[in-house]
Amino acid sequence: MAAKGREREKEPLDSVHQNAILCETILKERRSQKLHTDFSINPFMKPHVLTEKAMPRHPYEDAEEDPTFLKMIHGARLEPTKKYTHPQTESQEIGWISTPLIVQDRSDRRLHFARQNSEITKYMDAAWRLKEQTQNFG
């Protein structure tokens, strides 16, 4: 008996069932649709610059610039610290505050340790320079 159930073929759908399926599909599509009427250029994409024609009939010298569009384009090109007050992601938190905590004072010997050369370091510097010169000529 189980074999008979598997062998049974599907009956072809009549026009009433096909219309019901179509209506249900359209209702599902309309539920998830959203009408967009406000369009603008993505400020994060580099705009494609097209050259003008060689002999234009209508020169664009009299065209006015849209200040809001220019502000949006220039704002998109700023670095994140100038765009936002706080970091937007976890990885932006590293290095967000890039100003030093204290002013560097090279004369203060407590914080600045100048490079000091001894006899051995002077000898090794000269040896490394001589080795680099012989490799360049050899």
Side-chain angles (χ1 to χ4, degrees), residues 100-111:
L101 297 175
I102 59 172
V103 179
Q104 273 191 340
D105 185 13
R106 299 259 179 194
S107 63
D108 190 3
R109 296 188 55 82
R110 295 176 300 169
L111 302 174

Side-chain angles (χ1 to χ4, degrees), residues 75-92:
R77 302 225 180 253
L78 291 174
E79 56 244 16
T81 54
K82 293 180 181 174
K83 262 195 249 184
Y84 310 111
T85 56
H86 301 291
Q88 302 296 303
T89 61
E90 290 286 325
S91 61
Q92 282 182 347

Side-chain angles (χ1 to χ4, degrees), residues 4 6 15-16 18 27 33 35 41 48 55 62 67 74 78-79 83 87 96 104 124 128 134:
K4 288 182 181 179
R6 278 189 239 153
S15 61
V16 175
Q18 287 178 347
L27 284 174
Q33 265 185 345
L35 181 63
I41 295 175
H48 298 289
M55 305 278 292
D62 299 335
H74 291 303
L78 291 174
E79 56 244 16
K83 262 195 249 184
W96 187 262
Q104 273 191 340
M124 285 308 296
W128 282 109
T134 55

